[in-house]
């Protein structure tokens, strides 16, 4: 077993900017990952001032920040995987994101990858899935990005899985989404993404906003991340 503190000690700045959780994903993974069902989920918070500026759409500072946080997460999962391997575990890292050219041929039809960081995070008990399909953490709300290390054996006791949404009557992200991508239905583990959120509508709007506002050909928006009251500095409880 490896202690929570051993993992956070590897993360620059320690617990202040990061969340770490452990999950047992047995029976939930694509066959490509099935030999490594024990997850260490790592979340890195996003900068509050930058995220406040995204309330009306993506800005250049958000795009730069998003790439910087992806680099930090890649470094973090590499460091954590090395540490876990030293204790004799077999493990593999799942990067925070992939490029369009690295995804499966049917990605545009499914808009799904074969590993969901958000699922690992709910199973670790770190938070829930919000009304626009974001992972909403207790500490930072949706203002974070995720990456995961998968191991062949239990690294530390798993958290208590979260199985239902805690959004309650709030619908801010649904109302502010310029793509009208979400219906407002509450998530629970038996509700599939496509029943409450349309990723094709979202992607199309993300690409339009990123192209027109910051001149990049990527899926960047973040309005739903920005407007969520959970975890936002100075915001009250929902
Ligand atoms: C494909 C993809 C997209 C697509 C589709 C998005 C989508 N929501 O499905 C597009 C291009 C539209 C997109 C847009 C964005 N994305 Co994106 N995207 C991904 C990616 C690469 C794969 C997601 C995927 O396969 N989804 C398939 C569905 C089925 O799974 P899911 O959405 O992850 O979540 C479902 C399951 O987890 C399930 N679930 C949860 N717990 C449990 C438990 C059990 C037992 C079961 C059965 C199921 C279950 O519930 C969810 C709803 O059904 C992930 C990285 C990754 N590998 O996870 C990032 C990721 C989801 N994106 C992220 C972000 C930030 C964005 C954007 C804000 C873009 C930006 N940076 O400005 C927008 C936000 C869109 C939104 N509101 O969700 C973050 C989300 C962080 C967060 N707080 O949630 C991720 C996790 C990247 C990261 N490393 O942090 N994205
Ligand atoms: S990223 Fe933008 S378009 Fe997609 S759900 Fe969030 S607010 Fe809507
Ligand atoms: S804005 Fe409200 S409805 Fe949307 S994820 Fe946050 S708490 Fe849930």
């Amino acid at each position: 077993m490896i202690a929570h503190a051993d993992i956070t000690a590897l993360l620059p700045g320690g617990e202040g900017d990061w969340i770490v959780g452990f999950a047992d994903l047995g029976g939930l993974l694509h066959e490509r990952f099935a030999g490594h069902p024990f997850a260490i989920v790592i979340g890195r918070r996003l900068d509050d001032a930058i995220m406040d500026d995204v309330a009306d759409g993506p800005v250049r500072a958000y795009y730069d920040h998003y790439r910087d946080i992806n680099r930090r997460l890649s470094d973090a999962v590499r460091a954590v995987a090395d540490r876990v391997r030293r204790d004799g575990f077999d493990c593999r890292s799942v990067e925070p994101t992939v490029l369009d050219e690295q995804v499966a041929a049917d990605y545009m039809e499914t808009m799904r990858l074969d590993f969901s960081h958000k699922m690992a995070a709910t199973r670790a008990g770190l938070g829930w899935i919000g009304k626009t399909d974001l992972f909403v953490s207790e500490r930072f709300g949706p203002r974070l990005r995720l990456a995961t290390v998968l191991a062949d054996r239990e690294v530390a006791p798993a958290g208590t899985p979260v199985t239902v949404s805690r959004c309650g009557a709030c619908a801010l992200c649904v109302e502010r989404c310029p793509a009208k991508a979400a219906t407002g239905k509450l998530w629970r583990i038996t509700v599939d993404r496509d029943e409450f959120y349309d990723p094709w509508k979202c992607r199309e709007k993300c690409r339009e906003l990123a192209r027109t506002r910051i001149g990049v050909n990527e899926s960047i928006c973040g309005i739903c991340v920005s407007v969520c009251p959970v975890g936002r500095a100075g915001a009250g409880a929902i």
Side-chain angles (χ1 to χ4, degrees):
M1 292 279 170
I2 295 179
H4 189 274
D6 293 335
I7 303 293
T8 52
L10 301 165
L11 306 172
E15 275 199 285
D17 290 334
W18 304 81
I19 52 172
V20 172
F22 301 93
D24 179 352
L25 303 179
L28 293 170
L29 293 175
H30 184 275
E31 60 186 28
R32 207 155 74 79
F33 300 100
H36 297 86
F38 295 97
I40 307 171
V41 195
I42 300 168
R44 173 59 163 81
R45 75 180 302 176
L46 297 168
D47 181 85
D48 269 317
I50 293 174
M51 292 321 296
D52 288 345
D53 278 352
V54 179
D56 296 318
V59 295
R60 186 78 210 184
Y62 173 50
Y63 178 60
D64 294 340
H65 187 48
Y66 153 95
R67 299 197 325 162
D68 177 50
I69 296 298
N70 279 350
R71 277 191 293 271
R72 287 172 198 250
L73 275 165
S74 294
D75 291 346
V77 283
R78 226 168 288 133
V80 170
D82 286 347
R83 168 68 184 80
V84 172
R85 273 191 202 106
R86 278 207 301 278
D87 274 21
F89 292 85
D90 186 31
C91 65
R92 55 191 298 179
S93 312
V94 191
E95 292 286 323
T97 196
V98 293
L99 301 171
D100 270 4
E101 51 271 28
Q102 295 171 311
V103 298
D106 65 351
Y107 170 70
M108 285 309 291
E109 281 85 63
T110 65
M111 207 61 78
R112 287 166 197 255
L113 294 197
D114 48 18
F115 184 82
S116 166
H117 292 302
K118 290 187 270 183
M119 182 178 76
T122 68
R123 295 319 271 173
L126 295 174
W128 67 96
I129 304 292
K131 287 186 181 169
T132 43
D133 197 34
L134 292 171
F135 172 70
V136 185
S137 65
E138 296 283 357
R139 272 183 70 202
F140 306 132
R143 293 179 170 210
L144 84 175
R145 291 186 66 76
L146 298 163
T148 308
V149 174
L150 293 171
D152 60 337
R153 288 176 290 117
E154 186 176 52
V155 176
T160 305
V162 175
T163 58
V164 293
S165 171
R166 295 178 189 161
C167 290
C170 176
L172 269 177
C173 59
V174 178
E175 288 155 10
R176 294 290 298 278
C177 169
K180 298 271 169 274
T183 65
K185 182 174 177 170
L186 286 166
W187 169 85
R188 57 176 56 242
I189 52 168
T190 50
V191 175
D192 185 64
R193 175 197 65 182
D194 299 357
E195 292 176 49
F196 65 95
Y197 156 85
D198 183 331
W200 293 274
K201 277 190 188 168
C202 169
R203 182 178 183 276
E204 197 183 333
K205 184 55 76 178
C206 285
R207 295 193 89 86
E208 177 198 315
L209 291 174
R211 202 174 47 247
T212 54
R213 291 176 58 102
I214 50 177
V216 300
N217 204 19
E218 289 183 43
S219 303
I220 309 285
C221 168
I223 293 173
C224 48
V225 181
S226 178
V227 301
C228 179
V230 185
R232 206 170 66 200
I238 54 168

